[in-house]
Amino acid sequence: MTSPARIGMDIGGTKTEAIALDELGRVEATVTRPTVSGAEGVLSTAEAAVAELAERTGRTGFASIGVGLPGQIDRRSGEVRNAYNMGIDSLAIGPELGRRTGIPVSIDNDVTAAAIGAAHLMELGGTVAYLNLGTGVASGIIVDGAPLRGKLGMAGEIGHLPIGRLGRPCPCGQTGCLETEASGSALKAYWPAGGEHPGRTLLTAAASGDRDARRCFELLVQGAASAIRLLGLSLDPDSLVIGGGLRLLGAPLRDGIRDELARWEAESPFLAALELSRRFQLLPEGSPAAAVGAALAAG
């Protein structure tokens, strides 16, 4: 059985999620595999995911593979650089995965891919601002169905705006970046009791009286609210969506952001007119947005 079905892949430091997207843009099958670190490991993981999708769908061919992943993305050459959480300095993943599978491959920034996928899956039109709260902080911007990437593919890297109040050093070389206060990496650095995955235990620890956990949660909420305000003022989008692993903090995070925005709105008629506290939503849990967006971006 052959068809113009497409594969989309979201490759992260710990897991790789791959989906088969049918002719109508519907998810036909999903595969999740642990990501093996290093260039060969990442390629082998991706190749195995393609083979498993072919087996699950019964398809003998796919029109394209789209890959979303972190790091510096060169869409033209298919190369990713500085994807350190996967043990990669530089990898021409597009050409190499294409050679191994015999399928054309395109790559994209993972947050941009997630924004494309969220707009598609949630049926959002106009301008969509997607805020990713994960290991880092970044945004993806969709305007009338088209992603805004910028000249160097750096559009939306709001996590490296130095607007934090604590002046913490950032690996990017600046100080006070938003990412140093409102991200998984910030939780890990400034709340070491949370271990490798601090977001999983943050709320429980904060509720039980852990002052550092409570402070980290407050900074996360304030930083996320600042990011929403930034996106609202710069884009005035039709939709604001929060994704990324930290969104799984759920109602406490959502309500905290809403309360922070409402407090600012009470102090500023200008902000109140934007109604930002009522305009954002969380990406549903389990949504394969990044993988779907990567497939759509591959064409």
Side-chain angles (χ1 to χ4, degrees):
M1 176 182 179
T2 60
S3 78
R6 294 165 283 180
I7 287 176
M9 217 173 278
D10 176 21
I11 302 180
T14 58
K15 72 173 184 177
T16 292
E17 181 177 37
I19 57 96
L21 207 64
D22 72 11
E23 300 87 337
L24 299 178
R26 301 172 300 194
V27 176
E28 187 176 49
T30 302
V31 168
T32 302
R33 304 179 69 91
T35 301
V36 180
S37 187
E40 178 56 35
V42 168
L43 286 166
S44 297
T45 301
E47 187 178 6
V50 171
E52 189 172 347
L53 283 174
E55 181 180 351
R56 290 194 180 190
T57 60
R59 296 181 184 272
T60 59
F62 294 90
S64 59
I65 299 172
V67 178
L69 67 172
Q72 293 177 282
I73 303 297
D74 187 331
R75 282 176 51 81
R76 181 174 297 181
S77 68
E79 182 181 9
V80 58
R81 293 183 291 276
N82 304 323
Y84 299 128
N85 65 334
M86 295 187 293
I88 291 176
D89 292 321
S90 178
L91 173 64
I93 186 172
E96 184 59 27
L97 184 59
R99 183 187 67 78
R100 294 188 181 201
T101 62
I103 304 171
V105 177
S106 71
I107 68 173
D108 214 329
N109 173 268
D110 57 345
V111 177
T112 298
I116 296 170
H120 173 76
L121 293 170
M122 299 171 75
E123 299 181 342
L124 304 175
T127 299
V128 179
Y130 177 91
L131 173 63
N132 192 81
L133 298 177
T135 302
V137 178
S139 64
I141 303 161
I142 309 298
V143 180
D144 296 332
L148 179 64
R149 296 188 174 92
K151 180 179 179 180
L152 301 177
M154 299 296 285
E157 288 290 349
I158 63 173
H160 294 292
L161 286 172
I163 59 176
R165 295 168 297 167
L166 303 181
R168 291 172 173 174
C170 182
C172 78
Q174 302 183 99
T175 58
C177 287
L178 182 61
E179 191 167 292
T180 65
E181 297 182 15
S183 68
S185 60
L187 293 179
K188 190 173 178 180
Y190 296 100
W191 185 53
E196 286 297 310
H197 303 286
R200 297 176 183 176
T201 56
L202 180 66
L203 292 177
T204 301
S208 67
D210 186 321
R211 287 187 177 184
D212 291 336
R214 182 62 194 173
R215 178 59 173 156
C216 282
F217 180 68
E218 290 172 352
L219 289 172
L220 172 62
V221 166
Q222 292 165 8
S226 293
I228 291 291
R229 178 171 58 182
L230 170 66
L231 292 170
L233 289 171
S234 58
L235 298 171
D236 189 20
D238 295 271
S239 302
L240 284 156
V241 180
I242 299 179
L246 290 177
R247 83 185 189 285
L248 300 179
L249 292 170
L253 176 67
R254 180 200 63 213
D255 294 345
I257 295 171
R258 187 164 290 150
D259 289 347
E260 187 76 2
L261 289 169
R263 184 174 66 81
W264 296 342
E265 289 167 354
E267 297 169 352
S268 167
F270 173 70
L271 283 179
L274 294 177
E275 298 184 326
L276 294 175
S277 60
R278 296 194 298 224
R279 287 174 61 184
F280 74 90
Q281 57 188 308
L282 300 184
L283 182 72
E285 185 172 353
S287 173
V292 168
L296 293 170

